Each structure stands twice: as C-alpha cells, then as structure tokens.
Amino acid sequence: MLQTTFCPTSFGCFQIKGSSLGISSVKLVENVPKEEKEIPEDLKACHQQLLEYFDGKRETFDLKLDWDGSADFNRAVWGELVKIPYGRTTSYSAIAEKIGNPTAVRAVGLANRNNPIAIIVPCHRVIAKNGDLQGYFYGLDMKRRLLELENPMSFARQGSLF
C-alpha cells in the first residue's frame, strides 16, 4: 500500500511516497500540509535522510527504491544517476555512453525529467557536456542551489564587489 508523508526543508517541502517495496516518489510541492500526521514506518528512513542531506550531514542515501512500472531505459539511466558521487557532476552524453547508447543524449535528458525520486536519484548532478547547467524540473536556480550545497567551492555564486 502506497503511503505519503511530507518533509519540510530549507529547500522547500518534499512529498515522499513509498511502501514496504521502497521509495517510489520524492517531489517538491508548493502546498505544505498544515497538520502533519505521524510519519509512516516505511517512510521514516527517507524522511530522516533527506533532513540530514539538506543539513549537509549526509552524502549518500541508504534506501530501497521502487521503480516498478518504469521503462527499462529510464531504469538504466536512473541506475547510473545513483552512481554519481556527492559533489560531482557528469554530462548527459556520459550517461548515454555508460548505458551503451551514446546517441541517446536527449532521451537521457527526458529520463532525467521523468525521474520520480528527486534528490535521492540525483539528476541535479547531470549537466551539459560544456559545463553549463541545463534542464531541471524545479528550475536552474534549484539545481544550482543543490550543487552548491554539495560542492560550494565549485558551484558557489560569485558576489558583486560594487
């Protein structure tokens, strides 16, 4: 049975869905519920690990993921995303090569867009081959903030001196 909880963070409120099979969805939501119910047992670890991640205290997630019903191509892409180390990035073309389909760069981008398990399956760590930030379903500002959280030396914004 699919269960739901919410995880308010400094980056916004994330809705977590999952069951005993694993986490099936983590997505940013605009409407934060006024009254939080008790966190379902199957979602407690995800809730706690997300809080730790956003507090800068967690670099890896240790959770079962449930991609049931997803296309094999998407699963292959997401399987590569979870291998990208914390604070590092890779390109869409590198992911396409790793899954054995070097011409599928746009399809990799689409799989990223369809990633149901944001943050935990770190599609925000995928950038353009030339180093530019491209496409993120929560916007490039959020993508930059996430990368900055993970690697402030490489992704911090340059402030104005005057």
Side-chain angles (χ1 to χ4, degrees):
M1 182 171 148
L2 197 61
Q3 301 168 318
T4 302
T5 193
F6 295 88
C7 183
T9 74
S10 58
F11 282 69
C13 185
F14 289 85
Q15 179 188 62
I16 304 167
K17 290 185 179 183
S19 68
S20 60
L21 297 175
I23 302 302
S24 58
S25 173
V26 174
K27 67 178 185 176
L28 187 65
V29 294
E30 288 186 25
N31 298 326
V32 180
K34 291 182 175 43
E35 185 179 308
E36 178 64 28
K37 298 176 183 174
E38 185 175 333
I39 299 168
E41 192 62 38
D42 291 329
L43 307 181
K44 281 183 179 179
C46 182
H47 188 275
Q48 182 61 38
Q49 290 182 33
L50 279 172
L51 290 175
E52 292 167 356
Y53 170 82
F54 286 112
D55 284 342
K57 298 176 183 168
R58 174 170 289 276
E59 295 184 1
T60 59
F61 292 93
D62 182 24
L63 300 164
K64 292 189 304 183
L65 304 178
D66 181 8
W67 291 327
D68 190 41
S70 299
D72 290 342
F73 181 86
N74 289 353
R75 286 178 186 230
V77 171
W78 302 334
E80 289 301 319
L81 297 181
V82 296
K83 296 177 188 175
I84 305 168
Y86 180 90
R88 304 285 302 275
T89 57
T90 191
S91 67
Y92 296 95
S93 59
I95 296 289
E97 288 177 23
K98 285 185 179 187
I99 63 169
N101 197 343
T103 61
V105 176
R106 287 186 183 192
V108 167
L110 187 57
N112 275 10
R113 169 176 256 173
N114 292 324
N115 171 15
I117 309 174
I119 312 302
I120 295 164
V121 178
C123 55
H124 62 277
R125 296 180 188 156
V126 183
I127 61 175
K129 193 174 186 178
N130 67 3
D132 287 347
L133 297 186
Q134 284 187 337
Y136 190 58
F137 40 66
Y138 299 131
L140 293 182
D141 186 53
M142 175 66 92
K143 186 171 191 167
R144 177 173 297 284
R145 287 181 63 207
L146 291 167
L147 293 172
E148 188 176 331
L149 170 73
E150 295 184 9
N151 189 340
M153 296 300 288
S154 293
F155 293 99
R157 292 179 190 240
Q158 176 74 31
S160 174
L161 295 176
F162 304 100

